[in-house]
Amino acid sequence: QITLKESGPTLVKPTQTLTLTCTFSGFSFNTRGVGVAWIRQPPGKALEWLAVIYWDDDKRYSPSLKSRLTITKDTSKNQVVLTMTNMNPVDTATYYCAHRTVTTPRQDYWGQGTLVTVSS
Amino acid sequence: QSALTQPASVSGSPGQSITISCTGTSSDVGAYNYVSWYQQHPGKAPKLMIYDVTNRPSGVSNRFSGSKSGNTASLTISGLQAEDEADYYCSSYTTSSTSVFGGGTKLTVL
C-alpha cells in the first residue's frame, strides 16, 4: 500500500525559503523507475506541476519556477525534500507530493497535501 | 510551458454523458500518449481517473473514458451520477520531460 505525507511550515514570511518534506511508504527509490513529484494548488485555483525526482537522481523542474526550486531525496529515509526560495504571497497554496514512475508519467498516488501561507 | 486549456465548467443531468476537452500543443498533448485525468472533490487530494490517454486505474468506473486527437484530449463521463460532481484536471507529459496541468473544469450534475 503506497502512502505519502507532506510536512513543513504552515506559515512563511515573504522572501523566506520554504522547505517541505514528503515521507512515503509502500515503495522505494531502490526500485528502478520510481519517482516522486510535487504539485501545488493555490486556494480556489488550478493544479500546478512543480518538480520530480527519480530513483537515479534525475530531476526535472517546471520551467517557470526552475530558478527557485530544488528537489532532493533521502533514499534511506524514504523522503523527498522540496525547497522554494524567495517566497511570495502568490506562492500561498496547498502543496502535494505524489508517486510517479518514469515509464508512464502519471501521478497515481497522492499525499493529503499541506497548506502553506505566505504572509508577513 | 503554458497550462493546457480546459473549459471552465460543464454540466449535465443524471444519466447523461458529458465530455471535457483538454487542448495543448505539439510539445505536450500532441507529442506523446501520456495524458492523464484527475478528479478532485472539495478539500480532497486529486484522484487519478485516466492515464496514458485511455487507461483506467483499477477501481475506477468504466463510465470514465479518455481519448485524444492531435493536440486535444478528451474525458467522457457516461451515465452521470451525483457523485461525479467535482473538478477535473487533465495533465500531459512534455517534450522537456516535465508535466503540465490544465486549468481545471468544474462539473455540475444538475
Side-chain angles (χ1 to χ4, degrees):
Chain A
Q1 178 191 3
I2 290 177
T3 64
L4 305 98
K5 187 172 184 179
E6 307 85 355
S7 60
T10 58
L11 179 67
V12 297
K13 292 181 173 14
T15 75
Q16 286 187 336
T17 293
L18 171 68
T19 299
L20 293 173
T21 301
C22 176
T23 304
F24 57 84
S25 63
F27 66 96
S28 168
F29 275 120
N30 289 318
T31 302
R32 182 180 179 85
V34 162
V36 171
W38 284 93
I39 302 99
R40 71 178 179 179
Q41 184 174 36
K45 296 189 177 182
L47 299 169
E48 180 181 17
W49 190 90
L50 299 177
V52 64
I53 188 167
Y54 291 108
W55 89 105
D56 61 355
D57 213 37
D58 184 26
K59 305 165 187 179
R60 304 287 173 168
Y61 297 98
S62 165
S64 62
L65 292 167
K66 185 174 183 177
S67 63
R68 299 174 55 205
L69 294 175
T70 302
I71 191 170
T72 59
K73 63 179 176 62
D74 187 327
T75 301
S76 64
K77 293 183 178 179
N78 280 355
Q79 289 182 333
V80 171
V81 174
L82 181 76
T83 60
M84 180 179 291
T85 61
N86 195 23
M87 292 292 285
N88 181 282
V90 300
D91 297 314
T92 294
T94 295
Y95 286 77
Y96 295 98
C97 62
H99 173 269
R100 177 180 167 117
T101 61
V102 71
T103 50
T104 59
R106 64 190 187 269
Q107 281 72 221
D108 49 7
Y109 297 91
W110 294 63
Q112 62 190 27
T114 185
L115 176 62
V116 178
T117 301
V118 184
S119 175
S120 55
Chain B
Q1 61 195 27
S2 299
L4 307 176
T5 300
Q6 298 181 231
S9 63
V10 298
S11 62
S13 299
Q16 288 186 331
S17 294
I18 63 94
T19 297
I20 300 171
S21 62
C22 170
T23 301
T25 69
S26 56
S27 296
D28 38 63
V29 174
Y32 308 102
N33 287 324
Y34 288 146
V35 175
S36 50
W37 290 90
Y38 302 85
Q39 176 192 65
Q40 187 179 36
H41 287 110
K44 301 294 187 181
K47 174 186 177 183
L48 179 67
M49 305 301 284
I50 295 287
Y51 67 95
D52 296 354
V53 178
T54 61
N55 296 324
R56 281 186 310 276
S58 174
V60 172
S61 171
N62 59 10
R63 298 185 298 104
F64 292 82
S65 62
S67 62
K68 192 189 89 166
S69 178
N71 295 337
T72 298
S74 299
L75 172 71
T76 298
I77 308 174
S78 59
L80 268 181
Q81 300 179 359
E83 68 208 47
D84 299 332
E85 184 162 297
D87 293 328
Y88 290 84
Y89 294 91
C90 62
S91 179
S92 176
Y93 192 60
T94 78
T95 52
S96 301
S97 301
T98 61
S99 287
V100 61
F101 282 94
T105 298
K106 181 178 179 60
L107 169 62
T108 301
V109 180
L110 302 170

